[in-house]
Amino acid sequence: MDTLDNTDRRILQVLQQDARLNTKEIAHRIGLSVTPTYERLKKIEKSGVIKSYVTLLHAEQVGKALMAFCNVSLRLHSQPLIKKFETAIAGMEEVMECYHVAGTYDYLLKVVVDDMRSYQYFLTGKLAAVENIGQVHSSFVMTEIKHTTAFGLL
């Protein structure tokens, strides 16, 4: 999609707050009739601007009480070894997010597990088993100050 106009942005803003809304409810909230709202929404979905509709869970209420950020350095930076690392990380359910970053470390991982024992198993039983890891530095979240998935669009 080349450009999002203000009406498209309003639709997206409403959906980021509650993705369960039907077209009629979205139309009412943005002040547009149902048919043009439906057509715009389908166009937005088809363009790939909306990646998916998901349910966000409260981590502690589903037993995921420990969040850590892991900075990972690789020993060697050849393309095959980088690909192997990224494939291994993509398959680990504990890793919620992974970013290839510039700076002191090569990757930043957001890891969410049940408790410290689970984290130790993740670190020693899974992450350490991945070929070519040079260094891992872990930081543990004590308090979450802000967490959002919504972009400011208006």
Side-chain angles (χ1 to χ4, degrees):
M1 192 165 191
D2 293 333
T3 59
L4 296 170
D5 66 16
N6 197 42
T7 302
D8 295 333
R9 291 175 180 278
R10 289 188 355 243
I11 290 170
L12 292 170
Q13 196 72 33
V14 167
L15 281 173
Q16 286 185 107
Q17 299 307 312
D18 188 352
R20 296 175 300 167
L21 295 175
N22 63 37
T23 305
K24 183 178 178 182
E25 292 167 321
I26 296 167
H28 175 73
R29 291 190 185 190
I30 67 166
L32 196 62
S33 63
V34 174
T35 301
T37 301
Y38 175 82
E39 290 169 355
R40 282 175 173 270
L41 184 54
K42 289 302 163 195
K43 184 174 137 188
I44 292 168
E45 287 174 341
K46 186 177 177 182
S47 75
V49 170
I50 296 174
K51 289 172 60 172
S52 66
Y53 295 93
V54 300
T55 299
L56 300 176
L57 305 178
H58 189 283
E60 288 184 17
Q61 291 184 8
V62 295
K64 303 298 180 187
L66 183 67
M67 183 187 306
F69 288 92
C70 295
N71 291 292
V72 178
S73 293
L74 301 181
R75 280 184 274 153
L76 302 170
H77 294 87
S78 71
Q79 192 61 36
L81 289 173
I82 289 171
K83 188 68 176 161
K84 270 180 136 173
F85 172 81
E86 291 176 357
T87 300
I89 292 302
M92 295 180 187
E93 69 178 25
E94 299 90 346
V95 178
M96 302 297 292
E97 299 174 36
C98 175
Y99 302 97
H100 190 184
V101 296
T104 305
Y105 295 95
D106 298 313
Y107 291 90
L108 176 63
L109 313 178
K110 177 182 175 182
V111 178
V112 180
V113 293
D114 296 353
D115 52 26
M116 187 57 78
R117 179 170 283 165
S118 299
Y119 185 76
Q120 181 181 10
Y121 171 74
F122 164 76
L123 194 61
T124 60
K126 290 186 172 185
L127 191 59
V130 177
E131 184 181 356
N132 194 38
I133 290 182
Q135 187 177 11
V136 176
H137 176 92
S138 300
S139 297
F140 298 96
V141 174
M142 296 181 352
T143 305
E144 185 176 88
I145 307 305
K146 179 179 180 182
H147 176 246
T148 185
T149 60
F151 295 108
L153 298 173
L154 299 176

